[in-house]
Amino acid sequence: MTPNQTFKSEVIQLSPRLVFRRITDPDEMAYVYHLRYLTFCVVAGIVDPSLFPGQIETDEYDANSLHFGLYQDEKLIAYGRMVLPCERFPIERSAELPFFEREHSVESSRVLVLKEHRNSDTVWHLFNGGYRFCQANNVTNMLSFSNQLMFNGY
């Protein structure tokens, strides 16, 4: 899998008002990177903001990732990325994983929900869209790390 290929189910209608879709537009990605800065650097304080003087939070995994948004009435309300198979997933910096089929795996990371939509349903819909995308594209493992921030909807 590579970020430049076409995938099945890049747009998934979850309900009449909710759509899960891949983000590829550069302007939309700039907005998402700024939201990531606000969420992970400013609000949650888990990433050092001095590393991103332009207030755009990116890392070495973004180029090998698929970026998805959850949209309500065509407005972005949540975001997450799927890091595609690589030599070492971000989660492997912190944990040793048992054997898994790396070529059929992705890592869900940098998940965020806009403040006015932070409730368990929004996160559930975001992951439901991700799960359905994985099913359609022969991805059998979705790796993820969670903590209290995730349960709060960051």
Side-chain angles (χ1 to χ4, degrees):
M1 287 191 283
T2 69
N4 298 324
Q5 76 184 67
T6 301
F7 293 89
K8 296 176 187 172
S9 300
E10 290 191 357
V11 177
I12 300 170
Q13 188 80 40
L14 299 173
S15 75
R17 297 181 61 203
L18 287 176
V19 173
F20 176 86
R21 73 168 171 82
R22 186 170 173 198
I23 302 171
T24 57
D25 178 74
D27 291 335
E28 212 171 352
M29 283 308 307
Y31 174 65
V32 163
Y33 290 145
H34 181 66
L35 287 176
R36 282 175 33 177
Y37 172 83
L38 293 174
T39 301
F40 300 112
C41 299
V42 177
V43 176
I46 57 175
V47 179
D48 181 0
S50 70
L51 298 174
F52 307 99
Q55 299 185 356
I56 301 292
E57 193 276 333
T58 61
D59 66 22
E60 67 273 20
Y61 292 99
D62 284 319
N64 189 48
S65 297
L66 302 178
H67 303 269
F68 291 94
L70 179 65
Y71 296 81
Q72 183 177 43
D73 301 325
E74 299 181 24
K75 181 182 177 192
L76 180 72
I77 63 169
Y79 160 83
R81 74 174 176 191
M82 289 184 193
V83 179
L84 297 176
C86 54
E87 186 176 320
R88 188 173 180 212
F89 284 105
I91 197 171
E92 293 178 286
R93 294 175 175 175
S94 303
E96 289 219 14
L97 301 178
F99 174 78
F100 63 99
E101 293 182 57
R102 185 173 298 276
E103 66 275 5
H104 294 286
S105 301
V106 296
E107 180 178 332
S108 173
S109 67
R110 290 299 197 262
V111 173
L112 66 88
V113 177
L114 275 72
K115 187 175 183 175
E116 59 272 20
H117 296 278
R118 288 186 187 147
N119 62 53
S120 59
D121 287 348
T122 302
V123 172
W124 185 87
H125 286 298
L126 182 68
F127 275 89
N128 181 32
Y131 175 75
R132 289 169 63 176
F133 173 85
C134 288
Q135 280 186 312
N137 290 284
N138 197 30
V139 175
T140 56
N141 301 298
M142 183 186 286
L143 310 172
S144 184
F145 178 79
S146 185
N147 60 19
Q148 191 60 43
L149 290 173
M150 177 63 185
F151 292 113
N152 291 338
Y154 285 98

